[in-house]
Amino acid sequence: MKLERRPGAVREHEYEPAHGLPELLPADEHVLWQGAPDWRALAVRAFHLRKLVVYFAVMLALRASAVLADGGGALDALRSVATLAPLALLGLALTLGLAWLSARTTAYTLTNRRVVMRIGIVLTLSFNLPLKRIAAADLAAAPRGTGDIALALAGDDRIAWLQLWPHARPWHLTKPQPMLRCVPDGDAVARLLAQAWSQATGLGAATPAEAPSGAVPGRAVHGGALAAH
């Protein structure tokens, strides 16, 4: 897979000196990869679209059952469901819209020195994560062939979970982990991250082939080494 630097990408925010970056990079730093979440995968993974579909379907079924239990006919139950269905569709449409906006306003950048996350729909925030301050990274498969890459920060470094969401690892509230959500070709991006981490820290990085045998599907980048977990 070819990872492009996107030097000619259109800037989403006019105040950005370069796409996805809050400032121009130093002369000895260069972009290795830039990307953004797949919005459809983000809707499923972060905004739980499928769970919402099931929830609304159950609610509509319960509504129809209640009408039938009260002595109404099938036509009455259908009318009751038809009255509430637009609200359910509106909720799903809003969820899809949030996922699209979240992906549209997000830019992930990997350089030879750091990971930069530009996130936020209304209030834009940029987080600079030096590779030397990343203790570990976990890769999890996501829908549509994408991947979620969670970054564990070293020492006492911490970013508020609410500032990161939905670009935060689920259920890690006491020490939130920034996450590159639903990035296309997540496995290749994780490999590139491991290589960049290895070069930045001077420590070796293993390849997936060197992972322990019998490991379950999924990979993790621990200390720059791509290993199975």
Side-chain angles (χ1 to χ4, degrees):
M1 187 202 73
K2 182 179 179 181
L3 297 174
E4 298 181 355
R5 292 178 55 182
R6 298 180 64 195
V10 178
R11 293 199 297 270
E12 173 69 17
H13 304 279
E14 291 301 323
Y15 56 81
E16 287 183 338
H19 176 72
L21 298 174
E23 59 187 4
L24 293 176
L25 297 177
D28 58 348
E29 185 176 2
H30 57 275
V31 174
L32 300 175
W33 171 84
Q34 280 191 322
D38 180 297
W39 73 270
R40 287 160 291 189
L42 190 67
V44 174
R45 188 81 168 183
F47 291 88
H48 306 288
L49 180 67
R50 290 175 180 168
K51 295 177 183 177
L52 286 175
V53 170
V54 173
Y55 171 80
F56 286 127
V58 170
M59 291 297 100
L60 293 176
L62 290 176
R63 177 64 177 176
S65 298
V67 172
L68 294 174
D70 289 339
L75 185 58
D76 295 326
L78 183 60
R79 288 173 179 171
S80 179
V81 169
T83 301
L84 297 178
L87 296 178
L89 293 176
L90 177 61
L92 295 176
L94 289 175
T95 300
L96 287 171
L98 285 174
W100 182 85
L101 284 173
S102 182
R104 181 71 173 81
T105 56
T106 295
Y108 301 136
T109 304
L110 172 64
T111 77
N112 58 318
R113 288 192 172 187
R114 55 181 158 166
V115 174
V116 182
M117 301 174 62
R118 187 253 279 154
I119 62 176
I121 297 176
V122 178
L123 177 62
T124 301
L125 300 173
S126 292
F127 296 104
N128 287 287
L129 310 175
L131 294 177
K132 293 182 178 180
R133 301 302 300 168
I134 295 177
D138 291 301
L139 170 66
R144 299 179 58 82
T146 61
D148 289 338
I149 304 175
L151 307 175
L153 304 182
D156 296 330
D157 294 344
R158 183 174 301 180
I159 303 174
W161 191 87
L162 288 177
Q163 285 184 307
L164 288 170
W165 191 88
H167 312 274
R169 187 173 187 174
W171 310 114
H172 285 65
L173 302 180
T174 56
K175 190 170 183 179
Q177 296 183 10
M179 177 178 278
L180 309 184
R181 298 301 301 257
C182 302
V183 293
D185 297 312
D187 188 76
V189 176
R191 290 172 183 267
L192 189 60
L193 173 62
Q195 294 171 4
W197 185 95
S198 177
Q199 294 174 0
T201 61
L203 301 177
T207 64
E210 295 170 338
S213 61
V216 296
R219 296 189 179 93
V221 189
H222 290 293
L226 197 61
H229 67 86

